[in-house]
Amino acid sequence: MLTLAQIKENPQEVIKRLAVKGFDGKEAIERVIAADDARRKQQLENDTLAAELKKLAASIGALMKQGAKEEAEAAKAKVATLKEQQKEIAATLAATENEIREILLTVPNLPYSGVPEGKTAADNVVEKTGGPMPELGPDALPHWDLAKKYNLIDFDLGVKITGAGFPVYIGKGAKLQRALIQFFLDSASEAGYLEIQPPYVVNEASGIGTGQLPDKEGQMYHCQLDNLYLIPTAEVPVTNLYRDVIIPADKLPIKNCAYSACFRREAGSYGKDVRGLNRLHQFDKVEIVRIEKPENSYAALEEMKDHVQSLLEKLGLPWHILRLCGGDMSFTSAITFDFEVWSGAQQRWLEVSSVSNFETYQANRLKCRYRTDDKKTALCHTLNGSALALPRIMAALLENNQTPEGIVVPEVLRKYTGFSIID
């Protein structure tokens, strides 16, 4: 969440930047400033009372030694009265601090200065394009037909067992899925990321820490009996490893990667965009997460983009990078780049990765700090990216590599699959 210092330094600029995300922040910013002014007055009153109590408590002993019993008893009575007043002020102060936090939780992150204005995905900017476009004939099959033809994925079995959006991978389909996961993990390890195997469920504090709650509770699977949430991405548990942690400066940057299943309700999704692997409720993904000093985070963002690009190049997929406009960005990010691959049979671009810098927004929620050279603490910058999400990668690989003889497996995956063609 935003810090009070960010807001109070230039509230009008904050309101202006929030508008780039399509968020009218005027009322929330005015409320949080008014609440903080009240908090400061309450804190001063509380501190004044505490000082007076301390002075009175010291005087009681002196009065007793002097034999001034009546004065000592009067002082004790005043202490009791002041303590009751202090309890009331402390309760009011706690309520005000909670009000400030509740307001701040509803305010999105400020977009970075390089974020283009715009309202929808149509306003995103294509920054870079690469990879060979497939040469497919008019009889090219979409991946859901290829999955059935070669017995790779059974969508109907998934419906039988669970429901729509929970596919069953079979035989070479399962092996190809596992090969992609291992390839992505090995590549991340080679790039210096420490592998983590996180839990697939998190508590409410973790969801709040990375910004899924209270913004996206409708998209998350909630285990109400235990008040736990199935993770929508490994970003959530991995970033929360550093909640309430002060990191020594010489331990930064922190680079973690994690494979996990991901669970998203995708409420409101319908139509051709959800067919096959295009949009699932459960899918696999390898995530990269970085904790950085603020001055290094944008260089780290470029490194992460280069890493994702290298994966797509090794897989031989056509790709492009989008700089998201303000209206298409997430609640929590300061800047986001989406990677999309070309689906040859569907004739459309499919998103396979988002790489984002959250600056101090998540770190402030998490209280994720580092120790500076002058022994003070400062908020870290957090970043993460998909490297990569599997379903649409699988869809593009099946479609773009289909031949009359079968589906050709990219060379980089063959040491993991043990086969070079699916026939």
Side-chain angles (χ1 to χ4, degrees), residues 36 162 224 232 303:
D36 185 57
T162 309
Q224 293 184 343
E303 286 182 19

Side-chain angles (χ1 to χ4, degrees), residues 115-187:
V115 171
E117 294 188 9
K119 296 182 179 180
T120 69
D123 300 312
N124 295 335
V125 178
V126 177
E127 288 227 327
K128 196 175 182 182
T129 300
M133 295 296 284
E135 297 181 4
L136 301 178
D139 297 328
L141 298 176
H143 68 271
W144 51 86
D145 288 338
L146 291 167
K148 186 173 184 179
K149 178 179 178 180
Y150 294 104
N151 194 28
L152 304 175
I153 307 167
D154 196 316
F155 296 100
D156 293 332
L157 273 180
V159 173
K160 173 185 176 182
I161 297 167
T162 309
F166 295 88
V168 175
Y169 296 84
I170 299 168
K172 287 187 175 181
K175 289 183 178 180
L176 183 57
Q177 180 89 340
R178 180 158 47 88
L180 283 165
I181 293 166
Q182 194 60 60
F183 167 57
F184 295 152
L185 285 173
D186 286 352
S187 298

Side-chain angles (χ1 to χ4, degrees), residues 164-422:
F166 295 88
V168 175
Y169 296 84
I170 299 168
K172 287 187 175 181
K175 289 183 178 180
L176 183 57
Q177 180 89 340
R178 180 158 47 88
L180 283 165
I181 293 166
Q182 194 60 60
F183 167 57
F184 295 152
L185 285 173
D186 286 352
S187 298
S189 294
E190 290 167 8
Y193 290 87
L194 176 68
E195 185 175 348
I196 304 292
Q197 187 172 355
Y200 287 3
V201 293
V202 294
N203 55 31
E204 187 174 44
S206 294
I208 291 171
T210 46
Q212 278 68 36
L213 298 175
D215 179 51
K216 294 184 177 66
E217 59 265 63
Q219 294 294 331
M220 297 175 74
Y221 285 98
H222 186 202
C223 309
Q224 293 184 343
L225 185 63
D226 303 297
N227 196 28
L228 296 174
Y229 294 83
L230 296 180
I231 61 171
T233 165
E235 164 205 344
V236 181
V238 173
T239 311
N240 270 278
L241 295 175
Y242 308 98
R243 174 157 46 95
D244 297 319
V245 173
I246 298 175
I247 303 165
D250 61 359
K251 299 297 183 184
L252 293 174
I254 290 172
K255 299 169 66 176
N256 291 156
C257 67
Y259 155 73
S260 77
C262 303
F263 304 88
R264 300 182 187 181
R265 292 186 63 242
E266 299 289 4
S269 298
Y270 60 92
K272 64 182 178 63
D273 289 349
V274 304
R275 190 158 185 193
L277 296 171
N278 287 347
R279 194 173 295 275
L280 302 176
H281 295 303
Q282 177 184 321
F283 61 94
D284 292 325
K285 181 156 67 77
V286 172
E287 190 81 0
I288 52 175
V289 173
R290 293 179 69 147
I291 313 292
E292 295 277 351
K293 292 181 182 178
E295 62 267 27
N296 299 332
S297 71
Y298 277 91
L301 181 67
E302 292 304 311
E303 286 182 19
M304 294 169 73
K305 287 165 59 184
D306 289 344
H307 177 70
V308 174
Q309 179 182 321
S310 73
L311 298 177
L312 296 174
E313 288 175 341
K314 289 174 183 176
L315 290 172
L317 291 171
W319 53 269
H320 66 200
I321 305 173
L322 300 174
R323 182 187 290 252
L324 298 196
C325 70
D328 199 33
M329 286 171 60
S330 76
F331 187 86
T332 51
S333 73
I335 189 168
T336 296
F337 294 90
D338 274 4
F339 286 75
E340 296 182 333
V341 296
W342 180 251
S343 170
Q346 296 181 75
Q347 291 288 294
R348 56 192 293 258
W349 291 98
L350 303 174
E351 180 197 334
V352 294
S353 173
S354 286
V355 182
S356 301
N357 189 345
F358 302 90
E359 297 186 353
T360 61
Y361 190 86
Q362 288 182 330
N364 192 32
R365 289 179 175 226
L366 296 160
K367 292 184 171 59
C368 173
R369 294 160 289 172
Y370 72 101
R371 188 78 64 185
T372 62
D373 293 339
D374 57 3
K375 308 303 180 185
K376 295 180 180 180
T377 60
L379 291 171
C380 300
H381 277 197
T382 63
L383 306 92
N384 66 55
S386 312
L388 289 156
L390 272 77
R392 295 168 189 162
I393 289 288
M394 176 81 87
L397 286 177
L398 295 180
E399 293 182 10
N400 295 356
N401 294 325
Q402 60 183 297
T403 71
E405 291 74 33
I407 300 169
V408 177
V409 176
E411 187 173 347
V412 74
L413 298 178
R414 293 174 190 174
K415 66 178 180 180
Y416 301 110
T417 60
F419 52 84
S420 60
I421 193 164
I422 298 170

Side-chain angles (χ1 to χ4, degrees), residues 29-50:
I29 298 306
E30 289 176 350
R31 283 177 60 207
V32 82
I33 289 173
D36 185 57
D37 289 343
R39 180 195 64 80
R40 288 174 181 272
K41 291 176 184 177
Q42 292 158 8
Q43 185 67 59
L44 178 61
E45 190 175 354
N46 188 63
D47 293 345
T48 302
L49 273 176

